[in-house]
Amino acid sequence: LGPRTAVLAGDTLFAACFSLVADHADAATAGSLARLVGRMCDGEIAETTERFLVSQSVRRYLRRTAAKTAVLFSLAFLLGGRESGSPPAVVETLRRLGWCLGMAFQIVDDVLDFESSGADVGKPVAHDLAQGVFTLPVVLALRSDDGTLARALEARRYAARGAWRGWRARRETGRIGALIRRLGGIDGARAWARRYTERARREIARLPAGESREVLASIADRLLARAY
């Protein structure tokens, strides 16, 4: 039914979520959820305002990713531990674990935007690039760029404005993706994802031994190796 219906459905689910929180959760949980939504909105606003911005740093990307994705994972783990009555030390470990998994998840997602087929990931390949959202593979590739990639990314503005359409836009996007790969952007981003996954594994090792810990370790490995 289109993106408008999807957005409205998401808004409806948010309303239902806050209703459940109001009825069943304590004030601390409600406050945490409210702050989460604010941070996620900040991350989305930053992504929108930084479209087609070539001079982006890794730090800027990581900050945006933390606001968009890592805080959501982190809060889900924290509240799950808190509401289940886990000891404070375990709850804090779960919070850190969720943050690390969220960072790794988003970085892998950004890599898959270049590497997977549209059928695998459920959206067009290089969708973020076409929209002027320069993710970690792009940022890292620009570090080794002699100016060729930067000029190609600047030219993408014209494609976004409709100056390039159809096959020409797809050809240029494919050419930029290949250049990002040659400059090490994909491999570099995967290394960052592995780094966050290793941090997540260290947090998992601090949790009480048992089936739940083993499940979390398996999830961390699968998130890193996923193809969709």
Side-chain angles (χ1 to χ4, degrees):
L1 298 175
R4 177 176 174 79
T5 301
V7 170
L8 291 173
D11 291 342
T12 301
L13 290 173
F14 258 125
C17 174
F18 278 107
S19 178
L20 287 171
V21 169
D23 290 339
H24 301 290
D26 58 26
T29 296
S32 296
L33 182 59
R35 287 189 293 274
L36 162 72
V37 174
R39 286 204 63 185
M40 290 180 66
C41 289
D42 288 342
E44 292 292 344
I45 290 170
E47 181 173 282
T48 299
T49 57
E50 293 169 7
R51 288 177 68 235
F52 296 106
L53 180 64
V54 174
S55 58
Q56 295 198 38
S57 65
V58 172
R59 182 177 180 181
R60 184 192 296 266
Y61 165 85
L62 295 176
R63 185 184 302 118
R64 194 173 68 212
T65 297
K68 279 182 52 183
T69 308
V71 293
L72 176 61
F73 277 63
S74 181
L75 183 66
F77 276 76
L78 182 147
L79 294 186
R82 181 189 292 168
E83 294 296 321
S84 66
S86 297
V90 172
V91 172
E92 178 61 18
T93 298
L94 289 170
R95 182 192 66 78
R96 294 192 302 266
L97 167 59
W99 192 88
C100 294
L101 286 180
M103 294 296 291
F105 177 91
Q106 186 60 59
I107 293 170
V108 171
D109 200 60
D110 293 338
V111 169
L112 293 178
D113 191 45
F114 290 95
E115 290 197 327
S116 295
S117 69
D120 288 333
V121 295
K123 64 180 180 179
V125 176
H127 174 77
D128 289 336
L129 179 64
Q131 297 298 313
V133 177
F134 299 154
T135 55
L136 189 58
V138 182
V139 175
L140 294 176
L142 284 167
R143 288 178 158 187
S144 305
D145 182 36
D146 62 359
T148 304
L149 176 58
R151 288 191 294 271
L153 293 175
E154 289 286 357
R156 278 298 306 168
R157 292 177 181 270
Y158 296 100
R161 294 170 183 169
W164 295 347
R165 297 183 182 276
W167 68 269
R168 186 181 180 190
R170 290 192 295 272
R171 183 191 67 184
E172 290 300 321
T173 298
R175 185 175 70 85
I176 294 171
L179 180 57
I180 289 168
R181 186 172 289 104
R182 287 199 303 274
L183 291 170
I186 302 298
D187 291 340
R190 283 205 174 276
W192 274 90
R194 286 193 297 272
R195 197 172 303 155
Y196 279 110
T197 301
E198 286 299 328
R199 289 175 61 179
R201 287 177 179 140
R202 289 196 293 270
E203 297 299 340
I204 291 170
R206 294 187 176 97
L207 294 172
E211 182 181 358
S212 296
R213 191 173 77 176
E214 298 306 315
V215 169
L216 286 173
S218 175
I219 290 173
D221 291 337
R222 291 172 62 186
L223 287 179
L224 182 64
R226 67 193 176 95
Y228 53 86

